[in-house]
Amino acid sequence: MTLVLILFFVFLLAGMPVAFAIGIAGFAFFLQESYLPLTMPVQLILSETQAFALLAIPMFVFAGNLMNETGITKRLMEFASVLTGHMHGGIAQVSVVLSTLMGGVSGSAIADASMQSRILGPSMTARGYARGYSAAVNGFTGLITIAIPPSIGLVLYGSIGEVSVGRLLAGGMVPGLLMALAFGTTVSITARKKGYMPEREKRAPAKDVGRTFMSSIWAMLFPIFLLVTLRGGLLVPSEAGAMAAVYAVVVGALIYREMDWKGFWRATKASVGDTGTIMLLIALSALVSYAIKWEMIPQTLSGFLLGISDNPTVITAVILLFLLFFGMFMDSTVMILLLTSILVPVIKTLGINPVFFGVVMVLSCAIGLLTPPVGISMYSVCSIMECSVGEYLREGWPFLVAVLLVVVLLVLFPQLVLFLPNLLFG
Amino acid sequence: FAAKYTLRFNHVLGPNHPYHAGLEKWAERVKERTNGELEILVFHSAQLGVEEDILEQMRQGVPVGQNTDSARMGNYIPEIAVMNAPYFVDSIEEVIKVNDLPVVQEWKQRLADEFGFQVLSIQWVQGFRHFMTNKPISKPADLAGQRIRTAPAPIWQESVRALGATPIAMNFGEMYTAIQQGAIEGAELVYDNIFDQSLHEVLDYVNETGHFLLINFEVISAQWFKSLPEEYQKILVEECDRAGLEVSYQIQENTEALKKRVAEAGMTIHTDIDIAAFKEAGLAAYEKMGLLEVRDMIYEQLGKVN
Amino acid sequence: MDFLKKAYKFIIEWEERLAGITLVASVLVVMAGAVGRIIGYPLGWSMDMATFLFAWTVFFAADAAWRDNKHVSLDILVRLLPKRAQLIVHMCNHVIIGIFLALLIRYGISMSWITRFRTYQGIPGFSYTWATITVPIGSTLLLITAVLKLRDLIAEYRAARADTVDPKQSIQG
Ligand code: NA
Ligand code: NA
């Protein structure tokens, strides 16, 4: 197992694609344990593709890409700017609201951050916003997307940890809105200080709000549609994902009439790319996951954590600090893939609710996407905004503080996470 | 210090199921009798992987084991599925007798020689399965149009269909919400499952059809088994049978107490059932799966009248 | 050589298409399964058919994504090295990945043979081997990509070396 870890980090730092780094390191475990045949890695890799629950991931990704082809983004943007144009730091507020609204369509923080840096970034720079500030706003608000359903991270956690995905998705809703509130407040304070002026003097007329609201309602209904179909087991998450894809086609082709065969194929191609990257990572990490179980590491860790304290809040805090620390160096998907099967049994013995824990765990892992030295979202927004990491950090630290405060709030009041799933699922 | 031989044993049930304690007991006794040389690590909740994958690993000599059932073994020797057909046996004592039959010994031998599965014990009995629904079921016709959750293997599906219901394959954990939402009308289960899944909240009736007495198989890799000293092989089998019978009787005893709790929780235990009619209907499953002949042969060897 | 080039072009064109088609097909199968169950006509085969199709999606898509350089990697450390050292590290990576894929092909073929009697539970008579072979086939596609990437890296390395010797002879671009 030590060899596996060493190889993983060596390959990772040598710039090998993460999926191969983890796959080859895991393969080494089977070379090392002579009684395990080398056909087993093949079997384990394949098994990941044969888990019906994991199909929810490509389905949600596909639905999101199809939704993008309906021209929904520009409608949502219009609505967001009508809502927030009169506030200080108007476009930055648009980014907050847009991430919240897009959250129901996209399940990836990285995609959301880079997309909004591209579409909002140039106008922010033109209005005199510091590049680092725009990078930070677009980057951090992407985190809202992973909490509001659908969420790839929560589907992964639920499938691996055998926790109800429906409850997890519902559990992400309130934290997502809390983050929107926290980031909105942060923008208000920082924009006033920096003198980023509102876009217009007064609130937009109710008529405009109504019109833009109606024109983007189909995207906003999307997460609600998901939760309603998942509620009470009418559909399982993979089926809800398939229905969502069909929903997007119906909205695009029949309601907005903007989707044609070309657009459909573009969405399919984009989904093939997304599925290929995430599924190769998931499939190849099965080898290390197996090694972890074979060596009974969760059982050992459980004993260790119980030795620290038996207070659920303390243990949750310890685990989250650990996740935040490792998140600085590791990819969030890899962390969810490897750590869920270790941590879920542990927190269950400690009486920590696995739905609550899933939401805070996935969020904590994702914060690492925005922090140096290794943060994919951070690098992508910085490269799009053409700013240095130093500049990004100087402007962006209030947003980091805001999201950490949200995590602290959730840990202290787990009901914020559990309220909605309990209401919907009983 | 590490044991000389280590077996990793996987099962799909939760850590609180009596089977888990039973398997741990088995592991403990084997370790004791082999002076710590042979260690069994038990993995609950299918932590080591899905059943089919584990079975394939066994065939390749990986030191793993799995709690499985006759329906699964029926994929390799189709006749074995008969043990999972409606009303095949009536009691744990009968299971013990079945275990000693020459034909069953022959199946075990074939599973080891041809497929690489060493069956350690078939004396792990989970108890009678009953239809649990929201209306009283007295005869097969009452099940018409009722969508009933069952396991996906063909013999399960055909049996539930033969008994009059529409079989639905669905994950165990999804049952509660599926019933609540009306995606299915009920399930066929043992008493243990009711509180485990809080089904008393969504279902009104336990109809004591007792259509299956669920026999489990404890299977490990034959190749690895053969690599053990003969003495250890004997210990492994003896202790597995012993722990299995203990658990089976314990579950049987617990059922009486459970019934009381189920009734207190508001479910009606419906016992006015035309078992003869269900037995008659169940024959269709034997016919469909081509298992009538083997059933008659076993009944003859048992001296059992149907 | 010309034939090989054409064959490869054909493969990469169809690889993405097949990944897309199997993805769309699994969406439809999953939806049919859900609708069927709700209206009381459950399809026993829908879950297994969906995951079977998905196995093909995954391996075709994984290769298509690698050819587009979409797989995430961490190169902040490698970038600190001089250009030629960077290229050597990348070449090593691709050789190691190549060996790994070759092993997956070798043992994937064995595994496909072993699973030939295993059938999908919900689709009686349909061999699991049709899913198992996605591993050796997908690994073959990935291996081709690895070899081609390695070839490009070697060419780049040579060019970089030529660069340092005589800048005029550079063939980069
Ligand atoms: Na944003
Ligand atoms: Na989302």
Side-chain angles (χ1 to χ4, degrees):
Chain A
M1 201 64 214
T2 324
L3 176 77
V4 172
L5 277 177
I6 293 172
L7 285 178
F8 174 58
F9 284 108
V10 168
F11 292 146
L12 196 68
L13 295 175
M16 193 184 273
V18 182
F20 286 117
I22 204 166
I24 298 170
F27 198 86
F29 179 77
F30 292 83
L31 289 170
Q32 211 181 6
E33 305 283 324
S34 54
Y35 48 85
L36 296 177
L38 292 179
T39 42
M40 257 177 92
V42 175
Q43 183 196 48
L44 294 168
I45 289 169
L46 178 69
S47 270
E48 294 299 309
T49 70
Q50 298 299 297
F52 188 71
L54 278 186
L55 264 177
I57 291 172
M59 301 287 154
F60 286 147
V61 164
F62 195 21
N65 284 327
L66 285 166
M67 210 65 194
N68 268 339
E69 286 295 331
T70 62
I72 196 69
T73 311
K74 65 170 192 271
R75 290 185 174 84
L76 286 174
M77 213 166 93
E78 213 183 329
F79 179 51
S81 58
V82 166
L83 276 185
T84 57
H86 61 284
M87 300 179 186
H88 274 275
I91 321 183
Q93 295 289 13
V94 170
S95 179
V96 176
V97 176
L98 188 54
S99 288
T100 315
L101 299 175
M102 288 295 289
V105 180
S106 153
S108 155
I110 307 165
D112 184 78
S114 44
M115 188 265 283
Q116 294 187 18
S117 298
R118 265 192 209 101
I119 58 175
L120 298 175
S123 4
M124 292 169 97
T125 310
R127 282 173 177 74
Y129 286 59
R131 287 172 182 275
Y133 185 83
S134 310
V137 171
N138 289 318
F140 275 95
T141 53
L143 287 174
I144 302 171
T145 339
I146 57 146
I148 288 182
S151 160
I152 291 171
L154 288 174
V155 172
L156 260 186
Y157 172 90
S159 327
I160 299 170
E162 290 187 354
V163 180
S164 158
V165 174
R167 282 175 188 273
L168 284 166
L169 292 180
M173 196 76 172
V174 172
L177 296 175
L178 273 178
M179 269 191 277
L181 193 69
F183 290 140
T185 313
T186 313
V187 168
S188 266
I189 298 168
T190 48
R192 237 177 257 272
K193 261 199 182 145
K194 291 174 190 297
Y196 300 153
M197 298 313 289
E199 299 293 297
R200 60 178 166 277
E201 280 165 25
K202 287 189 297 184
R203 279 175 186 280
K207 183 179 84 219
D208 286 355
V209 176
R211 179 181 52 81
T212 52
F213 171 78
M214 284 316 288
S215 95
S216 50
I217 189 152
W218 296 105
M220 289 183 281
L221 283 178
F222 206 80
I224 296 165
F225 166 86
L226 279 178
L227 289 181
V228 167
T229 53
L230 288 173
R231 198 199 145 264
L234 180 63
L235 297 177
V236 297
S238 303
E239 293 169 342
M243 292 292 194
V246 175
Y247 171 97
V249 171
V250 170
V251 171
L254 302 179
I255 299 174
Y256 291 151
R257 294 168 185 272
E258 280 192 31
M259 192 193 286
D260 51 11
W261 281 109
K262 258 192 182 152
F264 180 78
W265 180 239
R266 259 200 310 276
T268 310
K269 261 168 70 170
S271 308
V272 164
D274 296 344
T275 304
T277 47
I278 190 161
M279 283 308 300
L280 189 71
L281 189 57
I282 292 173
L284 292 184
S285 70
L287 308 185
V288 175
S289 300
Y290 192 82
I292 288 172
K293 289 181 208 153
W294 188 263
E295 299 286 343
M296 291 193 136
I297 289 171
Q299 288 82 339
T300 316
L301 184 75
S302 180
F304 170 74
L305 279 172
L306 276 168
I308 298 176
S309 164
D310 55 1
N311 180 325
T313 311
V314 173
I315 296 282
T316 310
V318 169
I319 296 176
L320 293 186
L321 280 173
F322 165 87
L323 293 177
L324 287 167
F325 177 75
F326 275 87
M328 289 166 65
F329 306 96
M330 270 173 78
D331 178 65
S332 65
T333 311
V334 174
M335 285 178 48
I336 296 167
L337 280 169
L338 296 185
L339 298 179
T340 302
S341 57
I342 299 183
L343 293 175
V344 170
V346 177
I347 57 115
K348 274 188 182 161
T349 16
L350 291 165
I352 298 169
N353 184 302
V355 172
F356 155 74
F357 182 76
V359 173
V360 288
M361 170 177 167
V362 168
L363 182 56
S364 302
C365 290
I367 290 173
L369 292 168
L370 276 314
T371 56
V374 180
I376 302 168
S377 272
M378 175 187 75
Y379 284 125
S380 84
V381 290
C382 284
S383 86
I384 294 167
M385 293 312 301
E386 295 171 0
C387 67
S388 70
V389 169
E391 209 179 320
Y392 159 91
L393 282 176
R394 240 181 350 265
E395 304 279 346
W397 68 264
F399 293 93
L400 181 61
V401 172
V403 72
L404 289 176
L405 281 177
V406 171
V407 175
V408 170
L409 197 65
L410 297 177
V411 172
L412 293 179
F413 305 100
Q415 275 310 315
L416 288 170
V417 176
L418 295 174
F419 159 76
L420 192 61
N422 288 343
L423 184 77
L424 284 176
F425 294 84
Chain B
F1 48 83
K4 198 166 171 194
Y5 304 96
T6 307
L7 173 72
R8 284 171 169 81
F9 199 94
N10 190 50
H11 68 88
V12 300
L13 302 158
N16 297 323
H17 192 279
Y19 266 33
H20 187 67
L23 291 165
E24 293 275 24
K25 190 95 209 156
W26 170 48
E28 192 186 304
R29 287 171 182 161
V30 168
K31 192 168 183 181
E32 222 166 80
R33 281 183 64 185
T34 59
N35 301 315
E37 294 247 292
L38 174 45
E39 188 183 25
I40 304 170
L41 303 174
V42 185
F43 291 76
H44 61 78
S45 315
Q47 288 175 70
L48 269 192
V50 295
E51 212 165 305
E52 281 286 357
D53 285 355
I54 305 268
L55 290 174
E56 260 161 20
Q57 291 161 17
M58 283 180 214
R59 300 183 67 179
Q60 298 176 68
V62 180
V64 288
Q66 173 79 30
N67 170 57
T68 181
D69 62 22
S70 54
R72 190 73 70 156
M73 288 293 114
N75 287 346
Y76 301 90
I77 300 178
E79 291 89 340
I80 298 180
V82 77
M83 294 191 200
N84 212 122
Y87 301 104
F88 175 70
V89 282
D90 304 322
S91 64
I92 297 174
E93 291 72 28
E94 228 170 49
V95 175
I96 299 172
K97 277 197 220 159
V98 167
N99 182 38
D100 294 334
L101 293 181
V103 59
V104 174
Q105 294 303 323
E106 189 195 310
W107 285 341
K108 284 187 188 173
Q109 195 62 46
R110 277 185 62 201
L111 282 173
D113 297 344
E114 291 172 32
F115 301 101
F117 302 131
Q118 186 70 43
V119 179
L120 295 180
S121 173
I122 66 166
Q123 299 184 0
W124 291 67
V125 182
Q126 269 198 35
F128 285 106
R129 291 176 83 87
H130 307 296
F131 285 101
M132 306 196 183
T133 54
N134 272 315
K135 64 174 219 178
I137 304 291
S138 305
K139 53 187 185 301
D142 297 338
L143 280 171
Q146 298 271 303
R147 288 168 295 183
I148 300 293
R149 185 269 166 196
T150 190
I155 183 70
W156 291 87
Q157 299 270 310
E158 286 311 326
S159 298
V160 168
R161 201 188 314 279
L163 297 174
T166 307
I168 302 264
M170 158 179 305
N171 282 340
F172 207 69
E174 285 158 17
M175 256 179 330
Y176 180 96
T177 40
I179 295 166
Q180 196 182 37
Q181 191 66 32
I184 57 174
E185 277 77 30
E188 52 94 32
L189 303 160
V190 294
Y191 270 99
D192 276 302
N193 301 138
I194 298 177
F195 290 111
D196 196 32
Q197 302 287 321
S198 309
L199 295 174
H200 56 287
E201 295 170 14
V202 287
L203 289 172
D204 295 338
Y205 288 90
V206 180
N207 304 284
E208 287 202 324
T209 46
H211 50 279
F212 300 135
L213 184 57
L214 189 60
I215 304 170
N216 283 142
F217 283 43
E218 307 313 312
V219 186
I220 68 167
S221 164
Q223 194 183 322
W224 180 78
F225 182 75
K226 280 190 201 119
S227 75
L228 294 175
E230 226 158 277
E231 163 83 10
Y232 288 5
Q233 296 182 358
K234 219 179 103 218
I235 294 171
L236 211 50
V237 172
E238 275 174 16
E239 292 302 338
C240 194
D241 269 339
R242 181 174 157 210
L245 278 183
E246 280 174 14
V247 171
S248 305
Y249 281 117
Q250 186 206 332
I251 290 175
Q252 188 168 303
E253 265 169 47
N254 288 352
T255 305
E256 288 312 309
L258 260 177
K259 272 190 191 182
K260 250 178 92 184
R261 270 185 68 202
V262 166
E264 280 164 13
M267 281 183 91
T268 307
I269 296 174
H270 182 64
T271 52
D272 181 19
I273 290 165
D274 188 350
I275 298 286
F278 273 108
K279 281 192 175 173
E280 178 77 28
L283 280 179
Y286 289 90
E287 268 166 41
K288 180 93 192 269
M289 301 295 291
L291 295 170
L292 261 185
E293 229 172 285
V294 58
R295 183 194 74 149
D296 292 346
M297 179 186 66
I298 289 179
Y299 280 11
E300 203 183 328
Q301 289 187 4
L302 279 177
K304 176 173 167 154
V305 199
N306 28 319
Chain C
M1 239 11 236
D2 206 37
F3 168 75
L4 278 180
K5 259 186 197 157
K6 266 188 196 157
Y8 183 64
K9 212 180 144 207
F10 179 81
I11 290 173
I12 57 176
E13 220 168 77
W14 274 93
E15 177 182 78
E16 195 176 39
R17 256 178 237 174
L18 282 174
I21 291 166
T22 47
L23 180 62
V24 174
S26 48
V27 169
L28 296 177
V29 169
V30 169
M31 200 189 65
V35 172
R37 189 186 62 243
I38 292 165
I39 62 173
Y41 293 92
L43 310 174
W45 49 267
S46 67
M47 280 195 195
D48 282 341
M49 182 53 83
T51 54
F52 160 72
L53 288 165
F54 188 54
W56 289 91
T57 312
V58 169
F59 290 100
F60 285 143
D63 187 45
W66 201 21
R67 278 191 289 95
D68 290 345
N69 294 318
K70 279 188 188 149
H71 291 299
V72 178
S73 60
L74 242 180
D75 54 1
I76 43 162
L77 213 70
V78 184
R79 274 195 205 181
L80 300 175
L81 299 171
K83 178 74 182 163
R84 275 166 61 189
Q86 279 186 33
L87 289 168
I88 291 174
V89 170
H90 284 309
M91 280 190 262
C92 289
N93 286 346
H94 284 79
V95 170
I96 295 168
I97 293 171
I99 294 169
F100 169 63
L101 292 168
L103 285 166
L104 283 186
I105 296 168
R106 157 69 186 78
Y107 290 98
I109 293 168
S110 298
M111 200 64 211
S112 304
W113 177 249
I114 291 168
T115 57
R116 70 197 184 282
F117 295 126
R118 171 173 172 185
T119 56
Y120 274 99
Q121 280 212 330
I123 324 174
F126 187 68
S127 173
Y128 193 69
T129 289
W130 295 116
T132 317
I133 55 167
T134 56
V135 178
I137 290 178
S139 301
T140 307
L141 292 169
L142 288 164
L143 181 60
I144 295 172
T145 308
V147 169
L148 292 176
K149 281 180 186 285
L150 184 61
R151 196 192 58 177
D152 294 346
L153 284 168
I154 293 172
E156 211 180 319
Y157 180 79
R158 286 202 177 127
R161 206 169 51 179
D163 244 6
T164 50
V165 177
D166 179 4
K168 276 176 227 157
Q169 280 178 10
S170 170
I171 48 165
Q172 256 182 323

